[in-house]
Amino acid sequence: DLVGGGADIEDGGSVKQSTGWGWGWWAYSAKTTDGGETWQTFTFGNSHDIRIAFGLTVISEDEVWVTAQTENARPLLLHTTDGGQTWQRTYLGGYQYPFSEIDASPSGDVWAGGFRGAIISNHVPCAADFTGDGAVNTQDVLAFLNAWAAGDGSADINGDGSVNTQDVLAFLNAWAAGC
């Protein structure tokens, strides 16, 4: 089979003939570095809570942006700058529906469009605004700590695939810096 396991692929992209990426349902993700002869599957860090990855934009062999939705219907953006070894998650609180398309540039411009006309542009919400209400305050700390205590994947702030004290430190640093 082309990408393995009979996965439903939603989107794919490449920056050169030999390197390509594919995404789909239940956090299925694959990368090829030999023009599609072989595919390596991988996860988005702590991917057990991702239902589907909708759209992607490949900036370079190392930098990729992905739109996704968690099992509990939380829309989020995933971003890697190291070829998929680690993923930064940005939860898009305040949006009820997921973003299905994304475009980004090497200069950092990001545009994402979603269901029911939702659009974000050039401003990816920061991790410190955990509630997604546009304000960084103690409500964000409480929401983060509740997610962290429950082991929820949304608390994997550093994108290393594990919800642990490193995420608390990363969140508190982001919160102190503000958006």
Side-chain angles (χ1 to χ4, degrees), residues 151-174:
D152 188 279
S154 65
D156 184 16
I157 298 298
N158 66 3
D160 68 357
S162 179
V163 176
N164 56 36
T165 55
Q166 296 298 317
D167 297 300
V168 174
L169 296 173
F171 175 78
L172 291 175
N173 285 331

Side-chain angles (χ1 to χ4, degrees), residues 4 12 19 27 77 95 102 109 134 137 139 172 178:
T19 304
L77 300 179
Y95 294 98
I102 189 165
D109 295 325
N137 55 36
Q139 296 301 313
L172 291 175

Side-chain angles (χ1 to χ4, degrees), residues 1-19:
D1 43 6
L2 294 177
V3 184
D8 292 330
I9 302 300
E10 289 294 320
D11 203 355
S14 65
V15 290
K16 65 182 205 176
Q17 192 171 4
S18 63
T19 304

Side-chain angles (χ1 to χ4, degrees), residues 85-173:
Q85 297 298 311
T86 60
W87 293 87
Q88 175 188 0
R89 290 172 171 231
T90 302
Y91 287 89
L92 302 171
Y95 294 98
Q96 182 177 1
Y97 300 100
F99 289 83
S100 56
E101 300 295 330
I102 189 165
D103 196 14
S105 71
S107 64
D109 295 325
V110 177
W111 291 80
F115 298 99
R116 307 265 173 127
I119 297 174
I120 60 171
S121 64
N122 228 29
H123 172 68
V124 177
C126 74
D129 183 14
F130 198 78
T131 62
D133 64 1
V136 176
N137 55 36
T138 55
Q139 296 301 313
D140 297 298
V141 174
L142 295 174
F144 169 77
L145 290 175
N146 284 332
W148 181 80
D152 188 279
S154 65
D156 184 16
I157 298 298
N158 66 3
D160 68 357
S162 179
V163 176
N164 56 36
T165 55
Q166 296 298 317
D167 297 300
V168 174
L169 296 173
F171 175 78
L172 291 175
N173 285 331

